Every structure is written in structure tokens, then in C-alpha cells.
């Protein structure tokens, strides 16, 4: 019989995971736990079944579908967009998307360089001359996963999401893992 070390675990977990009859049984149990954990994290990444509205959200195809002042770092499989701050004006990247009636859910990762001296980001959704925006603070060296639910009042149509890096004397912000999902329309 093979045992698993449960030192430091609470007694309830220790009882559940105390021992297995053979290594194959232990490996199967571990595989099942990994699958469950993986499916839960996948559900967190894509919480709604309306489909992803942004293309190339991880910059795996370089700058394709994005506009703005983007520099890419990393290898082909793992690009990260770098937006260098400008002391006189905000610097932005953006992408157009088509949406149905109802709100959307935006999620991405932002990391400020250690020398970043600005006040963070501004997230904008806009169509024609109208736009809605939210400020997101970001301290030097900080990484945040930014989420934003928006637009219960937005009609179906073509929109643009813009991420603006606020003016800063120094530094840059790295952006990655963009996803924008259509949420179910809300009843009026």
C-alpha cells in the first residue's frame, strides 16, 4: 500500500487522501482531480457561452486585428503587447468587434514596469461619437487581471474597445490575454 504525505493538511483532507492500494490508483485519482481543476479554471476564463468577440487576444498572430502603438515581446507562441508611456499624451491600442444586443464581459492582464509613473489605464467601449469608459489604477511593478462587465444598454452593432495608457514620464505597460465575451441579453 502506498501512502501520501498529508503533513500540514487538515484532518478531513487527510482522511480522504490517506492511502491508495497501488500507484496506478493514485495516478488515476490525480488525473481526475487535474481534469476537474482544469474544467473549473476554463469556466472562469470563459464564463459565458456567447462566444469570444475579440480576435488574437493573446497576440499569437502579432499585431493582426489590433491598431495602435504596439511593440511585441516574447517568442511567437507567447507574445505580450508592450505599450510605452508618453509624458504628453495617452497611448492606446484598440480592436473593433461586432456584438449582439446585451452586455459584454472584458478580461485581460496588465503589468506595469517597475519605473512606471502614470496613473494606470482607461478602458473604453465606443461606437460613433459615443463612448463609455472606466479608469483602472496600476502601480509600478504591479500585475492585475482586469475585468469589466459593460453595456446592458448597448444595442447590437459594431463597436471598438480601446485600452489607453494614461500619460507617464517613465515606463511601459504589458498587456496580454484579452477576451471579450457576449453576455445573454437582459430582460427589460
Amino acid at each position: 500500500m502506498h501512502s501520501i504525505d498529508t503533513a500540514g493538511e487538515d484532518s478531513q483532507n487527510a482522511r480522504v487522501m490517506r492511502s491508495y492500494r497501488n500507484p496506478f490508483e493514485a495516478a488515476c485519482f490525480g488525473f481526475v482531480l487535474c481534469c476537474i481543476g482544469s474544467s473549473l479554471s476554463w469556466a472562469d476564463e470563459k464564463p459565458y457561452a456567447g462566444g469570444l468577440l475579440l480576435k488574437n487576444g493573446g497576440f499569437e498572430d502579432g499585431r493582426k486585428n489590433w491598431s495602435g502603438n504596439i511593440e511585441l515581446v516574447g517568442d511567437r507562441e507567447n507574445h505580450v503587447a508592450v505599450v510605452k508611456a508618453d509624458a504628453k499624451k495617452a497611448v492606446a491600442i484598440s480592436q473593433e468587434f461586432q456584438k449582439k444586443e446585451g452586455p459584454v464581459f472584458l478580461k485581460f492582464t496588465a503589468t506595469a514596469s517597475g519605473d512606471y509613473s502614470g496613473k494606470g489605464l482607461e478602458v473604453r467601449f465606443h461606437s460613433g461619437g459615443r463612448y463609455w469608459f472606466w479608469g483602472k489604477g496600476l502601480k509600478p511593478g504591479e500585475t492585475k487581471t482586469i475585468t469589466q462587465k459593460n453595456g446592458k444598454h448597448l444595442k447590437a452593432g459594431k463597436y471598438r474597445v480601446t485600452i489607453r495608457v494614461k500619460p507617464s514620464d517613465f515606463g511601459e505597460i504589458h498587456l496580454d490575454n484579452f477576451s471579450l465575451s457576449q453576455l445573454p441579453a437582459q430582460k427589460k
Side-chain angles (χ1 to χ4, degrees):
M1 184 180 283
H2 298 277
S3 296
I4 294 179
D5 182 16
T6 58
E9 294 182 4
D10 62 55
S11 61
Q12 190 173 24
N13 285 343
R15 277 189 304 243
V16 171
M17 298 180 63
R18 184 151 316 224
S19 64
Y20 294 94
R21 295 189 190 278
N22 62 47
F24 179 75
E25 183 181 345
C28 289
F29 182 73
F31 178 76
V32 169
L33 286 178
C34 286
C35 289
I36 291 170
S38 173
S39 67
L40 290 175
S41 70
W42 178 83
D44 184 50
E45 291 296 314
K46 299 177 184 175
Y48 306 101
L52 295 179
L53 302 174
L54 293 180
K55 297 184 177 24
N56 193 26
F59 301 96
E60 54 278 349
D61 290 326
R63 293 176 184 87
K64 184 177 180 182
N65 301 107
W66 291 95
S67 62
N69 189 7
I70 304 170
E71 179 182 320
L72 298 174
V73 296
D75 59 24
R76 172 132 172 75
E77 289 80 35
N78 194 22
H79 280 142
V80 175
V82 177
V83 179
K84 294 191 183 229
D86 185 308
K88 297 178 183 171
K89 62 181 170 115
V91 181
I93 68 167
S94 65
Q95 187 176 135
E96 285 188 347
F97 64 95
Q98 188 79 28
K99 71 177 278 319
K100 298 176 185 174
E101 184 80 25
V104 292
F105 180 79
L106 174 68
K107 182 177 181 179
F108 65 95
T109 304
T111 303
S113 63
D115 63 345
Y116 178 69
S117 63
K119 294 186 178 177
L121 306 169
E122 189 176 271
V123 179
R124 291 184 176 201
F125 290 92
H126 44 106
S127 176
R130 296 176 43 185
Y131 67 89
W132 302 264
F133 69 91
W134 298 266
K136 305 290 182 181
L138 203 58
K139 297 175 186 160
E142 181 179 28
T143 297
K144 277 188 180 178
T145 298
I146 296 177
T147 59
Q148 183 66 50
K149 180 180 173 186
N150 175 18
K152 66 181 178 182
H153 57 280
L154 297 180
K155 305 273 186 238
K158 186 184 276 190
Y159 288 84
R160 178 173 289 278
V161 62
T162 300
I163 312 304
R164 293 175 39 133
V165 174
K166 294 181 179 179
S168 171
D169 291 331
F170 302 103
E172 60 194 28
I173 294 183
H174 295 210
L175 303 169
D176 199 13
N177 301 319
F178 281 88
S179 66
L180 181 66
S181 302
Q182 179 77 51
L183 300 170
Q186 297 178 348
K187 297 178 183 177
K188 295 182 181 182

